[in-house]
Amino acid sequence: MPAPKILVMAGSLRAGSSNARLAALAAKEFALAEADVTRISFADYPLPLFDADLMADTGLPRQAIALKDMVGVHHGVFIASPEYSASIPPLIKNAIDWMSRPRDRGEPNYAVFKGRVFALGSASPGSAGGLRGLMALRQSLELGCGAMVLPEQITIGRAQGAFDENDNLKDETQAATLKALARRLVEVAGIMARASA
Ligand code: FNR
């Protein structure tokens, strides 16, 4: 049976992003758990702010279709997301909204969010580690899009000092949490892979 395919993305384009570091570290853990890992940047999928009139006038942006197709060929998706104003950063919300629109051969809206499993992580300078942002992201994915999101998640508070010079987590408990989360996502993605084979 081929390895489950895991897609990893960070919801920040900022140079030195803590969430990009978390995404990179998570990608290593997925590989150690013997998944086939792809890490993407939203910088490669530039999207206008969602506008239904724009969509009606010019159609779907090709990047929205490309992003949906990229998600669609994976069995598991890990999103490392910052918290903005106690909620989802617009980069991720906009991507979710655009991805919900392309429909192949009459498939229903939100089809790409089904048949795969999502896991969430966040890094933030605050002590709560972006927990409120993940609650909002979870709401959008689960209630809005019908996605299966693992109950396990990771939040890294005081993120500026959380990583060592090799970009590993300094705190052993956090490192163990990430490893366990990665193993769980690969395990459930493996079930999805077998179901779709
Ligand atoms: C923030 N930040 C932030 N942090 C937090 O813990 N709770 C919050 O509500 C917010 N709100 C917020 C709003 C806006 C507009 C910005 C730009 C930032 C701080 C944020 O977590 C911090 O900039 C992180 O470093 C962003 O993640 P990356 O870029 O390091 O991945």
Side-chain angles (χ1 to χ4, degrees):
M1 189 71 199
K5 291 164 73 78
I6 305 288
L7 184 64
V8 179
M9 53 181 81
S12 172
L13 304 177
R14 192 176 70 80
S17 159
S18 299
N19 287 281
R21 289 171 104 178
L22 176 57
L25 188 55
K28 281 190 203 165
E29 292 293 347
F30 297 132
L32 286 172
E34 301 190 349
D36 177 358
V37 186
T38 308
R39 186 152 59 100
I40 61 167
S41 167
F42 282 115
D44 295 323
Y45 299 86
L47 288 164
L49 192 59
F50 184 84
D51 177 345
D53 288 344
L54 176 73
M55 187 171 67
D57 289 347
T58 60
L60 288 157
R62 64 181 169 76
Q63 292 90 348
I65 296 167
L67 189 57
K68 180 200 170 210
D69 289 347
M70 177 60 81
V71 170
V73 295
H74 289 80
H75 307 107
V77 181
F78 178 76
I79 306 175
S81 172
E83 172 179 294
Y84 279 6
S85 307
S87 192
I88 312 180
L91 184 68
I92 295 185
K93 185 62 168 58
N94 196 47
I96 289 173
D97 291 341
W98 273 119
M99 268 193 291
S100 73
R101 296 301 103 183
R103 294 162 75 166
D104 291 334
R105 294 178 296 279
E107 70 183 10
N109 280 347
Y110 307 109
V112 75
F113 297 97
K114 318 278 173 62
R116 54 197 42 79
V117 56
F118 290 76
L120 309 180
S122 178
S124 121
S127 56
L131 177 65
R132 297 167 302 174
L134 290 194
M135 289 167 67
L137 177 53
R138 181 177 292 278
Q139 173 173 322
S140 180
L141 289 170
E142 286 183 344
L143 297 184
C145 304
M148 177 199 294
V149 185
L150 289 183
E152 300 90 344
Q153 61 185 24
I154 183 163
T155 52
I156 310 288
R158 312 276 178 231
Q160 326 84 290
F163 296 88
D164 67 17
E165 63 281 5
N166 296 316
D167 277 346
N168 291 313
L169 286 165
K170 292 180 189 169
D171 184 275
E172 286 180 11
T173 304
Q174 286 181 336
T177 300
L178 181 61
K179 189 174 280 295
L181 177 60
R183 285 186 178 154
R184 182 72 183 138
L185 183 65
V186 172
E187 180 188 0
V188 179
I191 295 168
M192 299 289 190
R194 286 190 290 280
S196 64

